[in-house]
Amino acid sequence: MSAWIIVAKVATALNVALLLGLGYIWGRNYLTFRSKHTLGLLVFALFLVLENGLVLYYYLIDPALSAWWHDESLVPMIVWQTQMAINVAQTVGLSFLLWITLD
Amino acid sequence: MEAALWYVLTGTRGGTNRVRILNALDEQPRNANQLAESLELDYKTIRHHLDVLLENDILTKSGDDYGAIYLPTDRTRRHWETVERIIEKVE
């Protein structure tokens, strides 16, 4: 398996973990403050978790789609590289958000 | 400013304690030691929250570093309605 695709999978799994961390903090704050602002943050985390969960599902589990991500000959390298860039960019952004949120 | 106020006070892990600090300083400006005592929080925790609040121009301080007294900035005062709405939820 190409390094690009390993990085893409790891980054997606990290995104889920980061979002669960953010969702936990925002969920707790929502219970305290009950404001639309904390609710907005919580909904943001929820839908981004859904997005990353779906991506992880088709990378790893889906019977038809996951095969692509195990066999280098099925998907051109450029697709893997782009996919990796999308996932990693999100990991960097979410890491920064978690960093200021834990402050 | 209002967006920063909301995030620093309600979007972060330390938000609840920062709201308690702001409420205490509204009643009466105090230094870090007095805050730690009246809120029953660790001195280092108080210092950290004070730094975050200073950095975001929510608090200002007067006096030398060690005994400096903290109080809400004019900017915070202008948005006091928002702050009050947030404080209500923590009490």
Side-chain angles (χ1 to χ4, degrees), chain A residues 22 25-26 28-30 32-38 41 97 100-103, chain B residues 6-7 9-16 18-19 48-49 52 85-86 89-90:
Chain A
L22 285 166
I25 294 168
W26 291 335
R28 234 182 24 180
N29 283 357
Y30 177 66
T32 305
F33 298 108
R34 300 270 172 193
S35 70
K36 65 173 189 282
H37 305 80
T38 43
L41 295 169
L97 192 55
I100 65 157
T101 301
L102 284 174
D103 195 26
Chain B
W6 276 107
Y7 201 78
L9 297 180
T10 74
T12 55
R13 186 176 57 169
T16 312
R18 294 201 260 269
V19 174
H48 169 73
H49 290 317
V52 173
R85 270 168 61 205
I86 298 172
K89 304 289 183 180
V90 171

Side-chain angles (χ1 to χ4, degrees), chain B residues 29-46:
Chain B
R30 304 165 213 235
N31 66 30
N33 258 319
Q34 294 164 330
L35 275 171
E37 217 167 282
S38 54
L39 299 179
E40 289 176 352
L41 284 172
D42 193 58
Y43 178 78
K44 270 178 72 182
T45 308
I46 291 281

